[in-house]
Amino acid sequence: MAMQRREIPEFIIPVSGSQDNLLSARWGQGLQLMVFSGNGKRRYMAGEADVAVNLDKPSVVHDVRWQTDMHYPATRKLAAQSHEIFTSLQKHTSDATDGTKKPQLVKFSRRYRVAMMECLEDLRKAASDMAEDEGDQETYKDMCQLYQQLELIWNLCEILYIENLPGGVILQQLLDWVKLHFTDADTLAARIISEGEINISKDYWSAVYIYVLQGRLAEARHLLSMNPETQHDVHGAYARIDELMRRMPVFSVFSRQSLAEFDLKWRNWQEICQQLLVDGVFVSYQPLETICRILAGQQDVLDQLQDLAGDWYQIMVTKLLYTNPMVKAVDLQYHAKSCMDKFRGSSRLLPLDQILLAALEYDVTQIIKISSSNLSNWWFVAHLADLLHHAGQLETHQLDFGATMREFLLLEYASTLMARESMWQIIIEYLEHCPVFGRHHLELFVEKIPLQSEKKAYKVLKICDEKNMDDQAQSICKVMGMRALQEKRLGTALTWCLRSQDASFATYLAEKFLTEYSLNGNFSNLDLIDNLGSSMLVSDRLTFLAKYRDFHRLYEEGEFAEAGELLLSLIEANLAPKQFMLILLTDALPLLELDVVVFSSKQTSQLLMCKENLLKWYQSEEYTREILPKKSKGHVELEKEKMELLQLGLSRNLSRALLEESVRT
Amino acid sequence: MYVARNISADHKDLIHDVAFDFYGRRMATCSSDHSVQVWDINDKNEWHCTASWKTHSGSVWRVTWAHPEFGQVLASCSYDRMAAIWEEIAGSTTQSQRRQGHWIKRATLVDSRTSVTDVKFSPRCLGLKLATCSADGNVRIYEAPDLTDLTTWEIQDQIQTKLSCSCLSWNPSRLHPATIAVGSDNTNPAAGGKVQIYEHSENERKWNRTSMLMSITEAVHDIAYAPNLGRSYDVLAIATKDVVIMRFDKKDPAMIGPAPGRNTPVQLDHQGAQVWQISWNITGTILAASSDDGMVKLWKANYLDKWKCIQVLKGDGSSVAPLLMQPKEAARETRGSSLPEPSVDAGFMSSSSVESRVNLPFLHVWI
């Protein structure tokens, strides 16, 4: 069947001056466009480069989002429920054997339908909820209609592709399908019965006819039995028709009856119906005659009852019921075509007609294609295609790209959810089940999840760990570290930095800590620094920070010898920033003042050497040009004083150490 | 189904560019009124302007966000021959600063002698790099050597393309050496191909031209590599007369040209109109293109890579009073007298949530 050419839909944006200034658009996350009027490049090209234009109204940006179907409360529930079904379906089919597979798939299909029905119910409620505003109510009504259609299509696909019973006799299921979706007769009957006294009206007979047309003879008989006329049924016409209906043979795959047996019984029964008509038994009971004509499979009666018979697909089921009850599924398409030609005539086929026809023709690709180009909803096609894929129905149909199509649809569905931030966990699971491109989409998507809180960042990181997305995890840590730094939370920044193993950032943060120390004389985030362990090795500066902190601890604990040794090695290793050298040397002062000699003569000479180096640096061009101007006069004085103190302390220590060493030898 | 929300921006002149941040939760706009505005979205999906400040002394053509790994950083470029780097810092602001939020200027890149027409940050895997291009044909690549100090930017390279540049785009692919496509708005068809592709050579430490697309002879107004999500080839969209989609095979990064088969450039029909701006969605599956006829067309490729226009967006055509075109000086005066500077709080007005909903039960999505 050729696709009909459709016009490209247009969306009009209430924007002024789009003719003169153009309309431009930028993509946001998911299906979101920022549309604005204006493009300076054109003005530039026109040679009016920087001519100012005063707008008489403030410029407007339009935030346009579409396929927001899944963003309403009712559909959000559907998205959540179907996600659950989807994931258990993926799990199930990977470890199911052929024998158990089919009944399980039918169960999954039904679960999807239950979710749809629930959604439909919620939408109906919302549509009639006065608390909703009018625009929303309209939206909900439209969505009701849409989901009704979707469920109808899904159900038919379930019968044809998932359940497809052995033998291919399908009528009973088609009858159930019609019964489930077209409930006019039930509505009518319920109203008539609730009125108490049965009033033989047009509606009464309509209800009876529809029941008969739908093959629901038990209901029809029940309704007939309530007719007061049955009380004085002198000619026995009511009894006759009741008997006929009661005895209509019904074929069921589960009965032990063979097709041939059933065929024989059926022919006998219908011959009786025809005979009764010929005999004119119901001549004076017009409605009963009509019923009998339906039972006898007379075509013209359907034309008369066209208003009640429903759409072409309902008529098809009625026709098959009373003329060809043993029809095989594969032959349905011929009946469908003829019914469509007869009852649709030349009027244009609606998308629903096309989809149902494609389903009856076993053209799966066509179902998906027409559905996705007409039904404004990726939820339906994505889940249906996935289910059909698991049922092995997507590949067999002259497609080598069945799996590609399934994946394509799942990716599209996932991207419609992206605009809704709370859906991120759901999206990840869908992407995971796309074997070809899923991983790439996942990598992109994971990075794009907004991280409003540390808690959320940890959640996303956990997922990165599970899926081995190291690059993404690292980037997330960097983003979080940078943000913490911006907010001046150094400890948090360092924690994130260590996770991402970012050496240059660690160096930067270590310096920040050191600056903080040189300004206040103490460290923040002590427990973090004390417990760095091997992670201090990320950067030299961080190692220095940790070791320097160790020195302080040793000093506080009175381990002066060890503290002195550590301090010396820190000074010698040259790990510290140049500007920090003086602080380190000054830290040696209290050790020099102790009663015991901490530094040996050799160590003292080393310290003296470092001091001299520092002095040289203070006189270097680099220092005088770049650092000196930034220091206040008082600061410079203080530094000078410290240097002198050092000189004094070191010299004194040297003599003490030499003395002590000579005594020892 | 569509939901459209109108946000009343406070720009007093045309908006030239709108840029989303990495997460799509912040937005920057720039305008001929010399200013940039930053917008943040709240939990109710409403946009609020959180900063609005004068950035340049000429029309601001483009604004762009750096990856959040580098902090909250914006770059803007302008007719005033400069590009500028802006960083948002935490802390309290004084009343006088309030309009600018916490955005402070970190650097001004003054190397260009003509209008700077485009500015783009590199993909994050290349570090913090920035490319600019200008009307005199120069493309400059800058690098911030110290990520914690954005006041210093070193020129890594300067390329003279010999054709006035209008736009550039970084190839987002990680598997590739750094690559930039540059478009020119030179209108002389004889001047050669209007798109040139440059690639950075690690060994030579310089940028080399790898190809010039000779099939593109009309002026090019915008250019954009599609995000690459696992495709084996790169896709480049070129806004010129109509839109041209080019494919580059990964194995042979050189120009494939109008070779037979699948590498033939695809022409997206805008009835021969000039296309001025293009934008890919984040998965690189839909392209929005705006053309001279005032329309925005959305193009989508199906799973067999056939392109089709799936949607048209149009203004409602209600033409307002003709715009006043005035020389710059005069305009400044009028602005002074007739349009008083808005009060401090005007820049902080919330998005007016005028919401129009259009129900299109049969939206065209195609596969």
Side-chain angles (χ1 to χ4, degrees), chain A residues 11 13 23-24 26 40 42-43 50-51 53 59 61-63 65-67 372-374 412 471 475 486, chain B residues 1 3 5-7 9 13-14 16 47 59 62 69 88 90 174 277 290 292 300 312 314 316 326 362 365:
Chain A
F11 178 49
I13 291 176
L23 206 58
S24 290
R26 284 267 173 239
R42 189 164 74 149
R43 227 155 73 187
D50 215 26
V51 178
V53 177
S59 42
V61 181
H62 302 265
D63 181 349
R65 295 162 191 239
W66 65 99
Q67 283 177 29
S372 43
S373 45
N374 290 290
E412 289 293 340
D471 189 43
S475 180
Q486 242 188 7
Chain B
M1 187 171 307
V3 180
R5 227 180 251 271
N6 304 344
I7 305 151
D13 202 336
L14 293 186
H16 296 314
W47 290 98
S59 284
R62 294 274 184 169
E69 262 182 30
E88 191 183 36
R174 278 174 217 188
Q277 232 169 23
S290 53
D292 248 347
K300 182 168 174 41
V312 170
K314 258 179 163 176
D316 62 359
Q326 292 168 333
F362 293 148
V365 289

Short mmCIF file of all heavy atoms in Angstrom, two decimals, chain A residues 11 13 23-24 26 40 42-43 50-51 53 59 61-63 65-67 372-374 412 471 475 486, chain B residues 1 3 5-7 9 13-14 16 47 59 62 69 88 90 174 277 290 292 300 312 314 316 326 362 365:
data_model
loop_
_atom_site.label_atom_id
_atom_site.label_comp_id
_atom_site.label_asym_id
_atom_site.label_seq_id
_atom_site.Cartn_x
_atom_site.Cartn_y
_atom_site.Cartn_z
N PHE A 11 3.59 25.00 12.37
CA PHE A 11 3.30 25.49 13.70
C PHE A 11 3.52 26.99 13.67
O PHE A 11 4.59 27.46 13.30
CB PHE A 11 4.23 24.83 14.72
CG PHE A 11 4.04 25.30 16.11
CD1 PHE A 11 2.76 25.36 16.66
CD2 PHE A 11 5.11 25.70 16.89
CE1 PHE A 11 2.59 25.80 17.96
CE2 PHE A 11 4.94 26.14 18.18
CZ PHE A 11 3.66 26.19 18.72
N ILE A 13 3.95 30.54 15.29
CA ILE A 13 4.40 31.13 16.55
C ILE A 13 4.00 32.59 16.57
O ILE A 13 4.24 33.32 15.60
CB ILE A 13 5.92 30.98 16.67
CG1 ILE A 13 6.23 29.50 16.87
CG2 ILE A 13 6.47 31.78 17.83
CD1 ILE A 13 7.65 29.17 16.91
N LEU A 23 13.20 34.16 11.69
CA LEU A 23 12.92 33.37 12.88
C LEU A 23 14.11 32.44 13.01
O LEU A 23 14.53 31.84 12.02
CB LEU A 23 11.64 32.58 12.63
CG LEU A 23 10.81 32.15 13.80
CD1 LEU A 23 10.38 33.36 14.60
CD2 LEU A 23 9.58 31.41 13.29
N SER A 24 14.67 32.34 14.19
CA SER A 24 15.79 31.42 14.37
C SER A 24 15.44 30.47 15.50
O SER A 24 14.58 30.76 16.31
CB SER A 24 17.06 32.18 14.72
OG SER A 24 17.50 32.91 13.60
N ARG A 26 17.10 27.39 18.32
CA ARG A 26 18.21 26.64 18.93
C ARG A 26 17.63 25.47 19.71
O ARG A 26 16.67 25.62 20.45
CB ARG A 26 18.97 27.52 19.92
CG ARG A 26 19.87 28.50 19.28
CD ARG A 26 21.28 27.95 19.14
NE ARG A 26 22.06 28.89 18.35
CZ ARG A 26 22.66 28.59 17.20
NH1 ARG A 26 22.60 27.38 16.73
NH2 ARG A 26 23.33 29.50 16.53
N GLY A 40 21.29 38.92 13.07
CA GLY A 40 22.12 40.07 12.75
C GLY A 40 23.02 39.87 11.55
O GLY A 40 23.39 40.82 10.89
N ARG A 42 22.35 38.77 8.78
CA ARG A 42 21.74 39.22 7.54
C ARG A 42 21.88 40.73 7.41
O ARG A 42 22.16 41.27 6.35
CB ARG A 42 20.27 38.82 7.52
CG ARG A 42 19.65 39.07 6.16
CD ARG A 42 18.37 38.34 6.00
NE ARG A 42 17.31 38.95 6.76
CZ ARG A 42 16.04 38.92 6.39
NH1 ARG A 42 15.69 38.32 5.29
NH2 ARG A 42 15.13 39.47 7.13
N ARG A 43 21.69 41.39 8.54
CA ARG A 43 21.82 42.83 8.53
C ARG A 43 23.25 43.22 8.20
O ARG A 43 23.52 44.16 7.48
CB ARG A 43 21.46 43.36 9.92
CG ARG A 43 20.52 44.53 9.85
CD ARG A 43 19.72 44.64 11.10
NE ARG A 43 20.51 45.12 12.22
CZ ARG A 43 20.03 45.17 13.46
NH1 ARG A 43 18.79 44.77 13.70
NH2 ARG A 43 20.75 45.62 14.44
N ASP A 50 26.34 47.66 11.89
CA ASP A 50 25.98 47.84 13.28
C ASP A 50 24.98 48.96 13.47
O ASP A 50 25.13 49.84 14.29
CB ASP A 50 27.22 48.05 14.14
CG ASP A 50 27.03 47.41 15.50
OD1 ASP A 50 26.23 46.44 15.57
OD2 ASP A 50 27.62 47.86 16.46
N VAL A 51 23.95 48.87 12.65
CA VAL A 51 22.90 49.85 12.76
C VAL A 51 21.98 49.42 13.89
O VAL A 51 21.55 48.26 13.94
CB VAL A 51 22.11 49.89 11.44
CG1 VAL A 51 20.97 50.88 11.54
CG2 VAL A 51 23.04 50.24 10.30
N VAL A 53 18.67 49.00 15.95
CA VAL A 53 17.24 48.94 15.67
C VAL A 53 16.53 49.00 17.01
O VAL A 53 16.76 48.16 17.87
CB VAL A 53 16.88 47.62 14.96
CG1 VAL A 53 15.39 47.55 14.74
CG2 VAL A 53 17.63 47.51 13.65
N SER A 59 11.99 42.11 23.00
CA SER A 59 12.11 40.92 22.19
C SER A 59 11.64 39.70 22.99
O SER A 59 11.74 39.66 24.21
CB SER A 59 13.56 40.73 21.77
OG SER A 59 14.39 41.01 22.87
N VAL A 61 11.47 35.43 23.41
CA VAL A 61 12.00 34.11 23.08
C VAL A 61 10.91 33.11 23.39
O VAL A 61 10.23 33.21 24.41
CB VAL A 61 13.25 33.81 23.94
CG1 VAL A 61 13.82 32.46 23.58
CG2 VAL A 61 14.30 34.89 23.74
N HIS A 62 10.71 32.16 22.48
CA HIS A 62 9.65 31.17 22.68
C HIS A 62 10.25 29.83 23.01
O HIS A 62 11.07 29.31 22.27
CB HIS A 62 8.80 31.05 21.42
CG HIS A 62 8.19 32.34 21.01
ND1 HIS A 62 6.93 32.71 21.36
CD2 HIS A 62 8.71 33.38 20.31
CE1 HIS A 62 6.68 33.92 20.88
NE2 HIS A 62 7.74 34.35 20.24
N ASP A 63 9.82 29.30 24.12
CA ASP A 63 10.28 28.00 24.57
C ASP A 63 9.27 26.98 24.06
O ASP A 63 8.20 26.82 24.62
CB ASP A 63 10.35 28.01 26.10
CG ASP A 63 10.86 26.69 26.67
OD1 ASP A 63 10.96 25.72 25.92
OD2 ASP A 63 11.15 26.66 27.87
N ARG A 65 8.12 23.21 23.20
CA ARG A 65 8.40 21.81 23.48
C ARG A 65 7.33 20.97 22.83
O ARG A 65 6.18 21.38 22.80
CB ARG A 65 8.37 21.54 24.99
CG ARG A 65 9.45 22.26 25.71
CD ARG A 65 9.15 22.34 27.18
NE ARG A 65 10.08 23.26 27.80
CZ ARG A 65 10.91 22.92 28.79
NH1 ARG A 65 10.89 21.72 29.28
NH2 ARG A 65 11.74 23.79 29.29
N TRP A 66 7.68 19.81 22.34
CA TRP A 66 6.62 18.98 21.80
C TRP A 66 6.85 17.53 22.12
O TRP A 66 7.83 17.16 22.72
CB TRP A 66 6.39 19.21 20.32
CG TRP A 66 7.49 18.83 19.43
CD1 TRP A 66 7.59 17.68 18.71
CD2 TRP A 66 8.65 19.60 19.15
NE1 TRP A 66 8.74 17.69 18.00
CE2 TRP A 66 9.40 18.84 18.24
CE3 TRP A 66 9.12 20.84 19.56
CZ2 TRP A 66 10.61 19.30 17.74
CZ3 TRP A 66 10.31 21.29 19.06
CH2 TRP A 66 11.05 20.53 18.17
N GLN A 67 5.83 16.75 21.71
CA GLN A 67 5.75 15.36 22.16
C GLN A 67 5.88 15.33 23.66
O GLN A 67 6.67 14.60 24.24
CB GLN A 67 6.78 14.51 21.46
CG GLN A 67 6.31 14.22 20.07
CD GLN A 67 7.28 13.44 19.28
OE1 GLN A 67 8.05 12.68 19.79
NE2 GLN A 67 7.23 13.61 17.98
N SER A 372 3.81 5.45 13.45
CA SER A 372 4.73 6.48 13.92
C SER A 372 4.56 7.78 13.15
O SER A 372 4.83 8.84 13.68
CB SER A 372 6.18 6.02 13.89
OG SER A 372 6.44 5.34 12.71
N SER A 373 4.07 7.70 11.91
CA SER A 373 3.90 8.98 11.24
C SER A 373 2.54 9.61 11.52
O SER A 373 2.31 10.75 11.14
CB SER A 373 4.17 8.86 9.75
OG SER A 373 3.54 7.74 9.24
N ASN A 374 1.66 8.90 12.19
CA ASN A 374 0.34 9.49 12.40
C ASN A 374 -0.08 9.64 13.85
O ASN A 374 -0.93 10.45 14.15
CB ASN A 374 -0.72 8.65 11.69
CG ASN A 374 -0.59 8.78 10.20
OD1 ASN A 374 -0.88 9.82 9.65
ND2 ASN A 374 -0.12 7.73 9.57
N GLU A 412 14.26 6.91 19.95
CA GLU A 412 13.38 8.06 19.79
C GLU A 412 12.50 8.24 21.02
O GLU A 412 12.29 9.35 21.50
CB GLU A 412 12.49 7.91 18.55
CG GLU A 412 13.23 8.04 17.23
CD GLU A 412 13.77 9.44 16.98
OE1 GLU A 412 13.28 10.41 17.60
OE2 GLU A 412 14.68 9.56 16.15
N ASP A 471 35.25 7.64 31.79
CA ASP A 471 35.43 8.99 31.28
C ASP A 471 34.32 9.91 31.80
O ASP A 471 34.57 11.02 32.26
CB ASP A 471 35.43 8.95 29.75
CG ASP A 471 35.83 10.28 29.17
OD1 ASP A 471 36.77 10.88 29.69
OD2 ASP A 471 35.17 10.72 28.21
N SER A 475 34.45 13.11 34.41
CA SER A 475 33.93 14.43 34.06
C SER A 475 32.94 14.93 35.12
O SER A 475 32.97 16.09 35.51
CB SER A 475 33.25 14.36 32.69
OG SER A 475 32.74 15.60 32.34
N GLN A 486 33.87 26.86 43.35
CA GLN A 486 33.18 28.12 43.10
C GLN A 486 32.45 28.60 44.35
O GLN A 486 32.37 29.77 44.63
CB GLN A 486 32.16 27.91 41.99
CG GLN A 486 32.43 28.73 40.79
CD GLN A 486 31.29 28.62 39.80
OE1 GLN A 486 30.25 28.02 40.09
NE2 GLN A 486 31.48 29.20 38.66
N MET B 1 2.13 16.96 20.09
CA MET B 1 1.53 18.00 20.93
C MET B 1 2.58 19.03 21.30
O MET B 1 3.71 18.70 21.60
CB MET B 1 0.98 17.34 22.17
CG MET B 1 0.22 18.29 23.02
SD MET B 1 -0.58 17.36 24.30
CE MET B 1 -1.42 16.12 23.34
N VAL B 3 3.76 22.58 23.40
CA VAL B 3 3.54 23.60 24.42
C VAL B 3 4.53 24.70 24.12
O VAL B 3 5.73 24.45 23.97
CB VAL B 3 3.81 23.05 25.83
CG1 VAL B 3 3.58 24.14 26.85
CG2 VAL B 3 2.90 21.88 26.11
N ARG B 5 5.92 28.47 25.37
CA ARG B 5 5.93 29.42 26.46
C ARG B 5 6.67 30.65 25.96
O ARG B 5 7.75 30.54 25.40
CB ARG B 5 6.73 28.82 27.60
CG ARG B 5 6.11 28.92 28.93
CD ARG B 5 7.09 28.26 29.90
NE ARG B 5 6.58 26.99 30.38
CZ ARG B 5 5.82 26.89 31.47
NH1 ARG B 5 5.47 27.95 32.14
NH2 ARG B 5 5.41 25.73 31.88
N ASN B 6 6.10 31.81 26.15
CA ASN B 6 6.78 33.01 25.68
C ASN B 6 7.56 33.64 26.81
O ASN B 6 7.03 33.86 27.89
CB ASN B 6 5.76 34.02 25.16
CG ASN B 6 4.92 33.42 24.07
OD1 ASN B 6 5.28 32.38 23.52
ND2 ASN B 6 3.80 34.05 23.77
N ILE B 7 8.77 33.95 26.54
CA ILE B 7 9.61 34.57 27.54
C ILE B 7 9.95 35.96 27.05
O ILE B 7 10.52 36.13 25.99
CB ILE B 7 10.91 33.78 27.73
CG1 ILE B 7 10.58 32.33 28.06
CG2 ILE B 7 11.77 34.41 28.81
CD1 ILE B 7 11.64 31.39 27.60
N ALA B 9 12.12 38.76 26.84
CA ALA B 9 13.49 39.14 27.13
C ALA B 9 13.56 40.66 27.14
O ALA B 9 12.74 41.33 26.54
CB ALA B 9 14.44 38.57 26.09
N ASP B 13 17.05 45.30 21.25
CA ASP B 13 17.31 45.17 19.82
C ASP B 13 17.22 43.68 19.48
O ASP B 13 16.96 42.86 20.35
CB ASP B 13 18.70 45.74 19.51
CG ASP B 13 18.83 46.14 18.04
OD1 ASP B 13 18.08 45.59 17.22
OD2 ASP B 13 19.68 46.99 17.74
N LEU B 14 17.50 43.37 18.22
CA LEU B 14 17.39 41.98 17.79
C LEU B 14 18.26 41.04 18.63
O LEU B 14 19.38 41.39 18.99
CB LEU B 14 17.87 41.85 16.34
CG LEU B 14 17.03 42.52 15.28
CD1 LEU B 14 17.58 42.15 13.92
CD2 LEU B 14 15.59 42.07 15.40
N HIS B 16 20.51 37.88 18.56
CA HIS B 16 21.23 37.18 17.50
C HIS B 16 21.48 35.72 17.81
O HIS B 16 21.62 34.91 16.93
CB HIS B 16 22.58 37.86 17.24
CG HIS B 16 22.43 39.23 16.74
ND1 HIS B 16 21.56 39.54 15.73
CD2 HIS B 16 23.01 40.41 17.09
CE1 HIS B 16 21.62 40.84 15.49
NE2 HIS B 16 22.47 41.38 16.32
N TRP B 47 11.52 30.28 33.06
CA TRP B 47 12.84 30.90 32.90
C TRP B 47 12.88 32.23 33.65
O TRP B 47 11.94 33.01 33.58
CB TRP B 47 13.13 31.14 31.43
CG TRP B 47 13.37 29.89 30.66
CD1 TRP B 47 12.47 29.22 29.90
CD2 TRP B 47 14.59 29.15 30.58
NE1 TRP B 47 13.05 28.11 29.35
CE2 TRP B 47 14.34 28.03 29.75
CE3 TRP B 47 15.85 29.31 31.14
CZ2 TRP B 47 15.33 27.09 29.46
CZ3 TRP B 47 16.82 28.37 30.84
CH2 TRP B 47 16.56 27.27 30.01
N SER B 59 27.26 45.18 18.18
CA SER B 59 26.37 44.02 18.18
C SER B 59 27.11 42.79 18.68
O SER B 59 28.25 42.54 18.27
CB SER B 59 25.88 43.74 16.76
OG SER B 59 24.90 44.66 16.40
N ARG B 62 27.47 36.28 18.82
CA ARG B 62 27.34 34.91 19.31
C ARG B 62 27.72 34.86 20.78
O ARG B 62 28.57 35.62 21.25
CB ARG B 62 28.31 33.98 18.57
CG ARG B 62 28.00 33.80 17.12
CD ARG B 62 26.99 32.72 16.93
NE ARG B 62 26.79 32.50 15.51
CZ ARG B 62 26.13 31.49 15.00
NH1 ARG B 62 25.61 30.59 15.80
NH2 ARG B 62 25.97 31.36 13.73
N GLU B 69 32.89 21.47 33.42
CA GLU B 69 34.15 21.09 34.06
C GLU B 69 35.04 22.29 34.29
O GLU B 69 35.90 22.28 35.18
CB GLU B 69 34.93 20.15 33.12
CG GLU B 69 34.79 18.71 33.43
CD GLU B 69 35.63 17.86 32.48
OE1 GLU B 69 36.67 18.31 32.01
OE2 GLU B 69 35.21 16.72 32.24
N GLU B 88 31.31 33.21 35.99
CA GLU B 88 30.41 33.49 37.11
C GLU B 88 31.08 33.04 38.39
O GLU B 88 31.60 31.93 38.48
CB GLU B 88 29.10 32.73 36.93
CG GLU B 88 28.04 33.16 37.91
CD GLU B 88 26.78 32.34 37.75
OE1 GLU B 88 26.87 31.14 37.47
OE2 GLU B 88 25.70 32.90 37.92
N ALA B 90 30.93 32.86 42.77
CA ALA B 90 29.99 32.86 43.89
C ALA B 90 30.28 34.07 44.76
O ALA B 90 31.35 34.67 44.68
CB ALA B 90 30.18 31.59 44.70
N ARG B 174 35.70 12.30 19.38
CA ARG B 174 36.89 12.11 20.20
C ARG B 174 37.95 11.30 19.50
O ARG B 174 39.09 11.26 19.93
CB ARG B 174 36.50 11.36 21.47
CG ARG B 174 35.91 12.26 22.51
CD ARG B 174 35.44 11.43 23.66
NE ARG B 174 34.22 12.02 24.17
CZ ARG B 174 33.62 11.64 25.27
NH1 ARG B 174 34.09 10.65 25.96
NH2 ARG B 174 32.53 12.23 25.66
N GLN B 277 20.73 30.21 9.97
CA GLN B 277 21.17 29.60 11.21
C GLN B 277 20.72 28.14 11.23
O GLN B 277 19.63 27.83 10.76
CB GLN B 277 20.56 30.34 12.41
CG GLN B 277 21.61 30.76 13.41
CD GLN B 277 21.10 31.71 14.46
OE1 GLN B 277 19.90 31.79 14.73
NE2 GLN B 277 22.01 32.45 15.06
N SER B 290 16.88 27.90 9.79
CA SER B 290 16.02 29.06 9.58
C SER B 290 16.48 29.80 8.34
O SER B 290 17.66 30.07 8.14
CB SER B 290 16.05 29.97 10.80
OG SER B 290 17.37 30.30 11.13
N ASP B 292 15.62 32.72 4.91
CA ASP B 292 15.18 34.05 4.53
C ASP B 292 13.67 34.24 4.47
O ASP B 292 13.18 35.34 4.58
CB ASP B 292 15.73 34.32 3.11
CG ASP B 292 16.78 35.40 3.15
OD1 ASP B 292 16.88 36.07 4.20
OD2 ASP B 292 17.48 35.58 2.14
N LYS B 300 14.70 15.69 9.53
CA LYS B 300 15.04 14.49 10.28
C LYS B 300 15.39 13.38 9.31
O LYS B 300 14.74 13.24 8.27
CB LYS B 300 13.85 14.07 11.13
CG LYS B 300 14.08 12.85 12.00
CD LYS B 300 12.94 12.75 12.99
CE LYS B 300 12.97 11.50 13.84
NZ LYS B 300 14.25 11.09 14.32
N VAL B 312 7.35 22.60 10.14
CA VAL B 312 7.72 23.97 9.79
C VAL B 312 7.25 24.88 10.92
O VAL B 312 6.14 24.71 11.43
CB VAL B 312 7.04 24.39 8.47
CG1 VAL B 312 7.22 25.87 8.23
CG2 VAL B 312 7.63 23.61 7.32
N LYS B 314 6.63 28.92 11.91
CA LYS B 314 6.47 30.17 11.19
C LYS B 314 6.00 31.23 12.16
O LYS B 314 5.31 30.92 13.13
CB LYS B 314 5.30 30.00 10.21
CG LYS B 314 5.64 29.79 8.79
CD LYS B 314 4.31 29.64 8.10
CE LYS B 314 4.44 29.83 6.63
NZ LYS B 314 3.16 29.60 5.99
N ASP B 316 3.49 34.41 13.02
CA ASP B 316 2.09 34.56 12.62
C ASP B 316 1.91 35.68 11.60
O ASP B 316 0.81 36.01 11.21
CB ASP B 316 1.18 34.77 13.84
CG ASP B 316 1.53 36.04 14.59
OD1 ASP B 316 2.47 36.74 14.18
OD2 ASP B 316 0.85 36.32 15.60
N GLN B 326 18.32 53.26 11.94
CA GLN B 326 18.97 54.56 12.10
C GLN B 326 20.46 54.39 12.23
O GLN B 326 20.93 53.38 12.72
CB GLN B 326 18.46 55.23 13.39
CG GLN B 326 17.02 55.61 13.29
CD GLN B 326 16.46 55.99 14.64
OE1 GLN B 326 16.93 55.53 15.66
NE2 GLN B 326 15.46 56.83 14.62
N PHE B 362 -2.19 14.40 15.38
CA PHE B 362 -1.47 13.61 14.40
C PHE B 362 -0.17 14.28 14.03
O PHE B 362 0.04 14.70 12.92
CB PHE B 362 -2.33 13.42 13.14
CG PHE B 362 -3.52 12.57 13.40
CD1 PHE B 362 -4.70 12.77 12.70
CD2 PHE B 362 -3.49 11.57 14.36
CE1 PHE B 362 -5.80 11.99 12.95
CE2 PHE B 362 -4.59 10.79 14.61
CZ PHE B 362 -5.76 10.99 13.90
N VAL B 365 5.60 12.27 12.86
CA VAL B 365 6.92 11.78 13.20
C VAL B 365 7.16 10.66 12.21
O VAL B 365 6.28 9.87 11.97
CB VAL B 365 6.98 11.24 14.64
CG1 VAL B 365 6.90 12.38 15.62
CG2 VAL B 365 5.89 10.25 14.91
#
